[in-house]
């Protein structure tokens, strides 16, 4: 675990890039299902500033609730060592966290519910014939990837992030 912490401080950290497409909206404009209630979009990640601070923040779902997270990719060397530790969490994304997202990421834990600040990134790839859509919980993601005709395929990118849940959206 000490190696991962040391790895976070070396090199140039990369911030997640959050650019809200029209299909995504601020928490205030989400209806009960989490779908966009109108066309108001959130602004992108602040391009100026430290990616370990507010510039690295983005919205993400956990069990149907929208939270703000902060994440920084850790070095490949540290990720190799951290990946061997099964206690890390998972974050499900439609694009690499370093790229703009098509939908809000989904978390499998928050503080008080098995949270570990080290998260492994999994890409959600919609299978042919399945219209892309927002997931609101890790259970929804896992159910969509299961069965004889899964809606999605999960791709382990092998990338690890140091993430924190900053606050719940109200």
């Amino acid at each position: 675990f000490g190696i991962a912490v040391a790895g976070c401080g070396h090199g140039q950290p990369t911030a997640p890039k959050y650019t809200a497409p029209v299909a995504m909206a601020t928490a205030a404009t989400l209806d009960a299902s989490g779908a966009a209630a109108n066309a108001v979009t959130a602004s992108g990640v602040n391009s100026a500033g430290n990616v370990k601070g507010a510039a690295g923040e983005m919205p993400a779902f956990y069990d149907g609730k929208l939270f703000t997270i902060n994440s920084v990719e850790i070095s490949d060397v540290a990720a190799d060592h951290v990946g061997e530790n099964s206690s890390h969490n998972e974050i499900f994304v439609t694009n690499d966290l370093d790229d703009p997202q098509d939908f809000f990421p989904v978390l499998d834990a928050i503080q008080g519910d098995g949270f570990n600040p080290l998260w492994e990134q999994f890409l959600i790839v919609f299978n042919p014939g399945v219209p892309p859509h927002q997931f609101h919980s890790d259970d929804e993601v896992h159910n969509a990837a299961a069965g004889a005709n899964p809606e999605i395929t999960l791709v382990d990118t092998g990338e690890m992030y140091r993430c924190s849940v900053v606050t719940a959206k109200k």
Side-chain angles (χ1 to χ4, degrees):
F1 185 75
I3 293 172
V5 173
C8 291
H10 293 93
Q12 279 291 69
T14 55
K17 291 178 178 55
Y18 170 70
T19 304
V22 175
M24 294 170 62
T26 63
T29 63
L30 295 177
D31 64 18
S33 69
N38 61 38
V40 177
T41 59
S43 62
V45 166
N46 180 0
S47 61
N50 186 340
V51 298
K52 294 180 183 178
E57 290 182 356
M58 69 182 348
F61 273 105
Y62 171 75
D63 285 351
K65 290 183 73 177
L66 197 58
F67 290 82
T68 298
I69 64 169
N70 178 288
S71 64
V72 175
E73 184 176 358
I74 62 174
S75 74
D76 290 340
V77 172
D80 289 343
H81 294 287
V82 172
E84 298 167 3
N85 179 347
S86 63
S87 69
H88 62 270
N89 295 124
E90 298 172 341
I91 184 167
F92 303 97
V93 296
T94 53
N95 300 304
D96 191 275
L97 277 172
D98 297 334
D99 297 323
Q101 297 297 302
D102 295 330
F103 295 96
F104 294 123
V106 175
L107 314 174
D108 75 340
I110 60 170
Q111 286 91 337
D113 188 16
F115 181 78
N116 182 314
L118 300 172
W119 295 359
E120 187 170 3
Q121 175 182 258
F122 287 86
L123 290 178
I124 296 171
V125 178
F126 288 91
N127 290 332
V130 177
H133 58 277
Q134 176 69 59
F135 290 103
H136 302 99
S137 72
D138 61 315
D139 290 337
E140 287 181 359
V141 171
H142 287 292
N143 289 338
N149 296 308
E151 292 180 36
I152 61 172
T153 300
L154 294 175
V155 178
D156 184 349
T157 66
E159 293 181 7
M160 297 294 291
Y161 287 79
R162 182 218 25 97
C163 300
S164 59
V165 176
V166 178
T167 185
K169 295 275 190 176
K170 296 187 182 192

